[in-house]
Amino acid sequence: MARRRKGRPVNGILVVDKPAGISSNDVVQQAKRLFGAQKVGHTGSLDPLATGVLPLCFGEATKFSQYLLDANKTYWTRIRLGVSTETGDADGEVIAQVDATAITQTQVSDALEHFVGEIEQIPSMYSALTHQGQPLYKLARQGIEVERAPRTVTIYSAELLQFAEAYIELRVHCSKGTYIRSLAEDLGAALGCGGHVSALRRLAAGPYAEAQAVTLEQVSVIGDPQEMDALLLPVASAVSSWPSVRLHEDTAHYVRQGQPVQVAHAPTHGWVQIFESAEEDRFLGVGEVLTDGRIAPRRLVVSD
């Protein structure tokens, strides 16, 4: 006999403005409790130090969380030059200090150019990556350091917003898997003075931006479940940048059965959003264009 889930079925995406001082998992648990929801997950951790855009997937939206994990991100960060910490951010103990007052804005700008494009980063020992089933940060807290292979990431832009008294502020648009604290450490090393992240805010994650974000405090004062649910964005918004196809009811039936279908004027390759055309378009899920041109369903939502 299947075990019944606790909580109510809630489907959609809530863009939370994560506060500093708590983990992404803390945000998930608080949101799950506030909504009384059966299932909630986040789409990529933010460090406790960081604030900003944290999309949460509720119910059927969790099926599409991987696409948000793989999405590009945009960050604002303040970096303190001349001070290196154990963790690469302000939460760690200072391990080295150098006078960085002689560093010029031109030197920073020139150094930044070398970090734009496809680069390699060595993940921090204080990251959430796992080694033999253990998160690296847990090993680091035990005084254990393991070898980490460099990872290729892409920094599309790194705009210098402000430079003053050994502090710099950047706006960074980057690919998934980019560690801003690794960028701070590597930039500090390139300047010969070290550095760490003193503040970090995620401005955008995939299709979601900070203008769409709500705080947990805003949610907590609503109380009424229907009003809270009105804050949720549609499940389809997770893949809103993808091309879409719209199916008639008969064709949609076959898609729901997991069968590929022929769709007139469909894209010739790649992945697509699939909708059933009715009085109001109904999101069915996502599919992939096969070599023969048919659309094969890959991940579908469960209809109400």
Side-chain angles (χ1 to χ4, degrees):
M1 183 176 179
R3 185 175 63 181
R4 188 174 181 180
R5 288 183 180 273
K6 293 182 179 180
R8 64 190 184 94
V10 180
N11 300 304
I13 294 172
L14 181 72
V15 184
V16 173
D17 189 339
K18 177 193 168 297
I22 64 173
S23 70
S24 297
N25 189 59
D26 291 334
V27 175
V28 168
Q29 296 309 316
Q30 289 186 40
K32 186 176 183 180
R33 185 171 61 254
L34 287 169
F35 278 80
Q38 290 179 350
K39 189 175 183 181
V40 187
H42 64 69
T43 56
S45 295
L46 282 173
D47 292 337
L49 170 86
T51 66
V53 174
L54 182 66
L56 303 186
C57 291
F58 286 70
E60 289 295 292
T62 59
K63 295 178 178 179
F64 306 93
S65 59
Q66 184 60 48
Y67 307 126
L68 296 175
L69 283 167
D70 293 341
N72 296 335
K73 313 291 192 300
T74 302
Y75 296 91
W76 168 89
T77 185
R78 181 184 295 118
I79 296 172
R80 171 71 161 92
L81 297 177
V83 178
S84 300
T85 69
E86 189 176 37
T87 59
D89 61 28
D91 287 341
E93 293 185 12
V94 174
I95 56 175
Q97 198 157 352
V98 174
D99 183 3
T101 56
I103 301 293
T104 67
Q105 183 169 332
T106 299
Q107 287 176 301
V108 173
S109 297
D110 290 345
L112 268 178
E113 290 182 6
H114 297 285
F115 293 96
V116 176
E118 195 173 89
I119 64 171
E120 287 194 338
Q121 286 188 332
I122 297 177
S124 167
M125 271 302 300
Y126 286 85
S127 70
L129 290 179
T130 59
H131 174 76
Q132 298 180 350
Q134 282 286 320
L136 290 181
Y137 65 82
K138 288 189 176 180
L139 296 175
R141 288 167 185 165
Q142 298 170 38
I144 301 172
E145 183 165 351
V146 298
E147 186 174 348
R148 288 96 65 204
R151 302 175 68 182
T152 301
V153 299
T154 302
I155 295 181
Y156 301 104
S157 63
E159 180 185 0
L160 179 60
L161 302 175
Q162 190 168 338
F163 174 86
E165 298 179 357
Y167 281 94
I168 62 175
E169 293 183 14
L170 304 177
R171 182 186 176 95
V172 180
H173 180 213
C174 55
S175 67
K176 69 166 186 175
T178 303
Y179 288 99
I180 302 300
R181 57 178 151 184
S182 293
L183 173 62
E185 291 178 314
D186 294 344
L187 178 61
L191 292 167
C193 63
H196 73 272
V197 169
S198 65
L200 180 64
R201 180 170 178 79
R202 187 151 71 188
L203 305 176
Y208 306 114
E210 61 178 337
Q212 298 167 287
V214 297
T215 66
L216 292 172
E217 287 75 15
Q218 287 174 312
V219 176
S220 67
V221 298
I222 294 175
D224 180 66
Q226 288 189 334
E227 289 186 33
M228 287 194 289
D229 291 355
L231 297 173
L232 298 172
L233 299 175
V235 174
S237 65
V239 290
S240 58
S241 63
W242 296 14
S244 62
V245 296
R246 281 164 173 77
L247 312 179
H248 293 297
E249 182 180 353
D250 291 343
T251 309
H253 169 77
Y254 290 106
V255 166
R256 288 196 184 92
Q257 303 305 312
Q259 299 180 37
V261 295
Q262 198 74 47
V263 182
H265 311 298
T268 56
H269 66 278
W271 288 66
V272 296
Q273 306 174 70
I274 304 174
F275 292 88
E276 179 182 357
S277 291
E279 291 183 6
E280 184 175 334
D281 283 346
R282 179 181 299 168
F283 180 62
L284 300 182
V286 298
E288 185 178 11
V289 182
L290 302 178
T291 54
D292 63 6
R294 292 180 300 162
I295 306 293
R298 294 304 188 211
R299 190 153 293 180
L300 302 178
V301 298
V302 175
S303 300
D304 295 336

